[in-house]
């Protein structure tokens, strides 16, 4: 028998509820287990349905579409014009003027040779131009990934005492970062990076910006002996304890940074002209000329440091991937085009895998560089190619010119770049919207500042996961009341004009029901019943006749959830028996009623309830209004019969 098969009735107006037709609750169409599994996998891993474009296409067209999907350059390349190139060459030269000094600076931030920063601005942009789907993303080294890479590797290896091993571990970490990133895209597991919420990223980047800026005190003050630790206390302590070194600072300390490339050029000329390197100014020194040498023979896949490089690659991979995709989507939204997240993961991942074999360390899309690229009028990824060619020319012919570049300028460039990562308006917005998210943001910030970069990030992620677990294990349950003059039922604490219906306790469960929250839900619902009866005793009104559960927001249920309804049915019936025993002159009956169980929930309840104890014709309704109207008529009729 179908649920509600005999519920097509028009009850009389009772208890102020308008009569209405009661509709059937129809079970979902039957699907096999294979069909359900296929649908679940598709919704989990292919929410964007990338194969849709291949449907109803001839074989030749499918091969073309497949090639364009893997290599986006084949999609826009055939239509590329000289007009687009004019815009891209301007933007490419512009971001190159930023990429060259930043590349050198960020490599030093990662405790790597400065030349590695330029290598990392040459090969990765070429790879991304072929595989990437963003028109505005400008790739290269970034401050946060550089900071994390350097700080994590320095825990075991000194870049000063063993620079070759440190460089090998950096390349190996880059390989594992790229492998992890590409795997996420290939297996369509991009939802993993969603655990880094906006609140975490804002707090993390602000904390990292503070630490990175303080670390530049070494260059800005000319201190020789400076701590390699990343915490606020050791950095400030090192600065104060070695302040005497900065007192010997040369007369040319006023050399500073304005626009990055201009400041590099001017300061280099001044240092060379006045021989400032002989008067205490620390300079980069001689840099190797030529293009990226191969480095696949330097990758470490065994030994005692394998765990370290995998861990470092995992952390830097997640952070750089999150930043790159967020930046790409930001500028795509401004220009009204789509960026495929999974393709971006594969592009950034392959970019780092190839980079690790060509003397590059972790790269991604940088916000500052991409903003310059966007504002300079970039039309396609060719701007990355132009930037790469400019860096190539620099590597081949201009490296001797950077020999006299002062480190103080590189420190100033880093501070200027990272200070913009502190986003006060976003922090204020988070405070206004969600106080818990604000706490998560503060934990990320103070964890990075006072403990370490990776520990601060881990603490913030752990708190965010704890928040998710709280939401899963402690779902919201709301008491619903009727909006007078309508058949609409809403939260009593939200809508002040909503009123209770005597004899009815109407609750809404607003989360999936599973093993993690059934105990809590049972205890909470029984508490609602006890609170209701206590209030009714005080008001000398009727006890509960019907417990109505609105399941509209319950998207899933498991076997523990099914057992919950059976336990609640027994508990509610026992309440009715107890009430009848205490009130001998009155009839009391308590019934559990379910409203609008959706798809999977209804199917599982029907399958588990062969005897129709829970899903009987008078205990299952499509809307709360229909349930109250029909049950009010039933309650009135039975009360009259008893009399």
């Amino acid at each position: 028998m179908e649920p509600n098969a005999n519920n097509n009735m028009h009850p009389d107006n009772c208890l102020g509820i308008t009569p209405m037709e009661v509709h059937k609750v129809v079970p979902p169409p039957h699907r096999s287990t294979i069909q359900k599994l296929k649908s679940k996998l598709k919704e989990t891993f292919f929410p964007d349905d990338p194969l849709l474009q291949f449907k109803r296409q001839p074989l030749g067209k499918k091969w073309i579409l497949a090639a364009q999907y893997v290599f986006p350059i084949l999609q826009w390349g055939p239509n590329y014009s000289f007009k687009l190139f004019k815009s891209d060459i301007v933007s490419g030269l512009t971001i190159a003027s930023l990429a060259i000094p930043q590349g050198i600076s960020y490599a030093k931030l990662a405790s790597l040779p400065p030349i590695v920063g330029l290598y990392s601005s040459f090969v990765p942009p070429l790879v991304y131009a072929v595989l990437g789907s963003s028109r505005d993303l400008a790739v290269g080294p970034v401050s946060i990934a550089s900071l994390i890479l350097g700080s994590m590797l320095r825990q075991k290896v000194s870049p000063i005492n063993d620079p070759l091993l440190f460089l090998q571990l950096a390349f190996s970490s880059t390989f594992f970062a790229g492998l992890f990133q590409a795997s996420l895209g290939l297996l369509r597991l991009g939802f993993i990076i969603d655990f880094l919420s906006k609140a975490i990223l804002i707090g993390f980047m602000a904390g990292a910006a503070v630490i990175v800026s303080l670390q530049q005190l070494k260059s800005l003050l000319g201190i020789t002996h400076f701590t390699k630790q990343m915490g606020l206390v050791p950095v400030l302590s090192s600065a104060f304890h070695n302040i005497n070194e900065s007192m010997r600072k040369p007369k040319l300390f006023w050399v500073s940074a304005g626009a990055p490339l201009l400041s590099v050029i001017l300061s280099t000329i001044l240092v060379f002209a006045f021989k400032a390197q002989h008067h205490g100014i620390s300079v980069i020194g001689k840099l190797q000329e030529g293009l990226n040498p191969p480095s696949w023979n330097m990758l470490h896949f065994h030994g005692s440091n394998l765990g370290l490089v995998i861990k470092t690659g995992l952390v830097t991979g997640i952070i750089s991937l999150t930043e790159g995709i967020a930046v790409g989507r930001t500028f795509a939204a401004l220009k009204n085009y789509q960026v495929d997240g999974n393709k971006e993961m594969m592009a950034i991942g392959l970019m780092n895998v190839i980079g690790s074999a060509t003397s590059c360390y972790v790269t991604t899309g940088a916000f500052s560089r991409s903003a310059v690229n966007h504002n300079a009028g970039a039309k396609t990824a060719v701007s990355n190619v132009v930037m790469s060619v400019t860096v190539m020319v620099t590597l081949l012919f201009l490296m001797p010119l950077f020999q006299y570049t002062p480190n103080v300028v590189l420190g100033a460039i880093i501070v200027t770049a990272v200070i913009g990562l502190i986003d006060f308006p976003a922090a204020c917005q988070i405070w206004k919207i969600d106080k818990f998210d604000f706490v998560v943001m503060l934990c990320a910030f103070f964890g990075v500042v006072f403990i370490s970069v990776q520990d601060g990030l881990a603490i913030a992620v752990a708190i965010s996961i704890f928040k998710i677990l709280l939401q899963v294990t402690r779902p919201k349950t709301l008491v619903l009341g009727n909006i007078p003059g309508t058949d609409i039922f809403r939260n009593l604490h939200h809508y002040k004009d909503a009123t209770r219906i005597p004899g009815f306790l109407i609750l809404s469960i607003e989360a999936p029901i599973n093993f993690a929250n059934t105990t809590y839900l049972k205890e909470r619902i029984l508490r609602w019943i006890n609170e209701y009866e206590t209030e009714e005793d005080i008001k000398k009104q009727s006890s509960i006749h019907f417990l109505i559960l609105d399941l509209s927001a319950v998207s899933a249920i498991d076997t523990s959830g099914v057992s919950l309804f059976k336990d609640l049915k027994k508990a509610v019936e026992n309440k009715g028996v107890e009430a009848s025993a205490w009130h001998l002159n009155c009839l009391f009956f308590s019934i559990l009623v379910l409203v609008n169980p959706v798809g999977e929930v209804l199917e599982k309840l029907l399958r588990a309830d062969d005897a129709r104890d829970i899903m009987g014709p008078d205990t299952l309704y499509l809307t709360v209004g229909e349930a109250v109207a029909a049950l009010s008529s039933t309650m009135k009729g039975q009360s009259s019969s008893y009399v």
Side-chain angles (χ1 to χ4, degrees), residues 617-633:
D618 296 319
T619 58
L620 184 62
Y621 293 87
L622 194 60
T623 69
V624 175
E626 291 181 6
V628 172
L631 295 172
S632 296
S633 176

Side-chain angles (χ1 to χ4, degrees), residues 115-125 139-141 292 359-363:
I115 191 67
V116 175
L118 291 181
Y119 291 158
S120 303
S121 300
F122 170 48
V123 173
V139 301
N292 304 33
S359 300
C360 304
Y361 76 105
V362 178
T363 54

Side-chain angles (χ1 to χ4, degrees), residues 410-431:
L410 301 181
I413 290 173
I414 293 175
V415 173
T416 303
V418 301
I419 207 70
L421 297 176
I422 303 177
D423 195 342
F424 288 108
C428 295
Q429 185 73 0
I430 290 175
W431 168 259

Side-chain angles (χ1 to χ4, degrees), residues 148 196 200 204 315 319 444 447-448 452-462:
I148 297 174
L196 294 180
I200 290 178
F204 171 77
V315 175
I319 292 297
V448 170
S452 69
V453 175
Q454 58 270 27
D455 290 339
L457 183 64
I459 290 171
V461 171

Side-chain angles (χ1 to χ4, degrees), residues 376-618:
K379 301 299 181 183
T380 69
V382 170
S383 60
N384 276 291
V385 177
V386 174
M387 176 187 72
S388 181
V389 171
T390 307
V391 173
M392 179 187 72
V393 172
T394 303
L395 287 169
L396 290 174
F397 306 111
L398 304 179
M399 294 316 298
L401 301 180
F402 290 95
Q403 178 178 347
Y404 299 101
T405 300
N407 286 318
V408 64
V409 173
L410 301 181
I413 290 173
I414 293 175
V415 173
T416 303
V418 301
I419 207 70
L421 297 176
I422 303 177
D423 195 342
F424 288 108
C428 295
Q429 185 73 0
I430 290 175
W431 168 259
K432 288 169 60 178
I433 296 173
D434 191 322
K435 301 300 187 290
F436 194 99
D437 272 356
F438 187 79
V439 172
V440 171
M441 184 194 71
L442 289 181
C443 289
F445 176 79
F446 288 115
V448 170
V449 169
F450 288 102
I451 306 176
S452 69
V453 175
Q454 58 270 27
D455 290 339
L457 183 64
I459 290 171
V461 171
I463 294 174
S464 292
I465 293 175
F466 176 71
K467 176 186 177 182
I468 294 173
L469 291 176
L470 275 182
Q471 292 172 342
V472 171
T473 59
R474 295 295 184 268
K476 285 187 178 181
T477 54
L478 307 175
V479 181
L480 305 184
N482 178 243
I483 305 293
T486 72
D487 62 347
I488 299 172
F489 288 78
R490 290 293 182 267
N491 185 1
L492 280 173
H493 299 289
H494 183 184
Y495 293 88
K496 300 304 180 183
D497 55 339
T499 58
R500 291 182 186 269
I501 305 298
F504 289 83
L505 176 58
I506 307 171
L507 302 176
S508 174
I509 301 175
E510 301 197 335
I513 301 175
N514 52 54
F515 67 93
N517 57 30
T518 49
T519 301
Y520 168 79
L521 283 173
K522 180 180 178 180
E523 294 173 351
R524 189 65 186 94
I525 291 171
L526 292 177
R527 197 175 108 203
W528 281 121
I529 294 174
N530 292 331
E531 290 175 355
Y532 178 91
E533 291 184 335
T534 301
E535 292 178 8
E536 295 302 306
D537 286 342
I538 295 174
K539 297 176 182 178
K540 304 299 180 183
Q541 295 183 10
S542 63
S543 184
I544 294 177
H545 296 296
F546 299 101
L547 171 63
I548 298 179
L549 298 181
D550 184 358
L551 305 181
S552 301
V554 179
S555 59
I557 193 171
D558 63 4
T559 51
S560 299
V562 174
S563 300
L564 168 68
F565 293 117
K566 294 181 178 180
D567 294 341
L568 285 176
K569 181 178 183 295
K570 292 177 183 177
V572 170
E573 288 175 348
N574 291 336
K575 288 285 183 182
V577 172
E578 292 173 6
S580 297
W582 280 98
H583 300 79
L584 298 179
N585 295 326
C586 299
L587 173 65
F588 280 86
F589 52 94
S590 295
I591 300 175
L592 174 65
V593 179
L594 304 182
V595 170
N596 194 30
V598 297
E600 174 189 332
V601 178
L602 176 59
E603 188 177 8
K604 289 184 178 180
L605 288 174
L606 287 172
R607 195 179 302 145
D609 188 32
D610 294 330
R612 294 294 182 263
D613 293 331
I614 300 175
M615 311 291 285
D618 296 319

